Amino acid sequence: MLPSSADDQNEPDIEADRQADSMKDQLRKDVASWAASRSAEASGLDTRSVAPAARQTIAAPTERVVRRKAKPVEPISLTVAEKKPFKMSYDGTTERDYIAHRIKHGAR
């Protein structure tokens, strides 16, 4: 067996720490750029003047528009269909056959 030194044992920890530090630095840079862009947008919103939307003029129709009558709506029936209660399915067998099968095979 080869003797292991303390440096060999700490090497994976050091590499993991380096990766974590580089990820934190990158995240800080991303946050700083995001914050700078947000502050630039916010200052840009304050300085812009908002002009009211121009009203569009509607030209008078030259031809008469013919409106059709709407089709009468059929009344909705208020009778509720009777729902069947929940029932288990036993691979296509009836409940009676399933119970007989369970009894035959010694269900507790």
Side-chain angles (χ1 to χ4, degrees):
M1 291 181 74
L2 296 173
S4 62
S5 66
D7 293 336
D8 291 340
Q9 292 175 356
N10 291 335
E11 195 170 301
D13 293 337
I14 293 171
E15 182 62 31
D17 289 341
R18 285 183 192 150
Q19 287 179 350
D21 290 340
S22 70
M23 289 169 53
K24 288 177 186 176
D25 290 339
Q26 183 62 38
L27 184 58
R28 282 188 199 105
K29 290 176 186 176
D30 290 343
V31 169
S33 68
W34 176 82
S37 68
R38 292 283 293 181
S39 64
E41 286 177 11
S43 66
L45 289 176
D46 294 340
T47 59
R48 279 189 262 157
S49 63
V50 178
R55 297 182 106 192
Q56 294 179 350
T57 58
I58 300 173
T62 56
E63 296 179 17
R64 183 179 172 109
V65 178
V66 178
R67 294 184 185 233
R68 296 183 183 166
K69 290 185 178 180
K71 294 180 182 178
V73 178
E74 294 181 21
I76 299 172
S77 64
L78 298 177
T79 57
V80 178
E82 189 80 24
K83 289 186 177 181
K84 292 182 179 180
F86 175 77
K87 191 171 183 180
M88 286 292 295
S89 171
Y90 303 105
D91 285 333
T93 62
T94 64
E95 189 173 358
R96 175 183 279 168
D97 292 340
Y98 179 74
I99 292 171
H101 172 78
R102 296 277 297 180
I103 292 170
K104 179 181 175 184
H105 291 284
R108 295 181 190 179

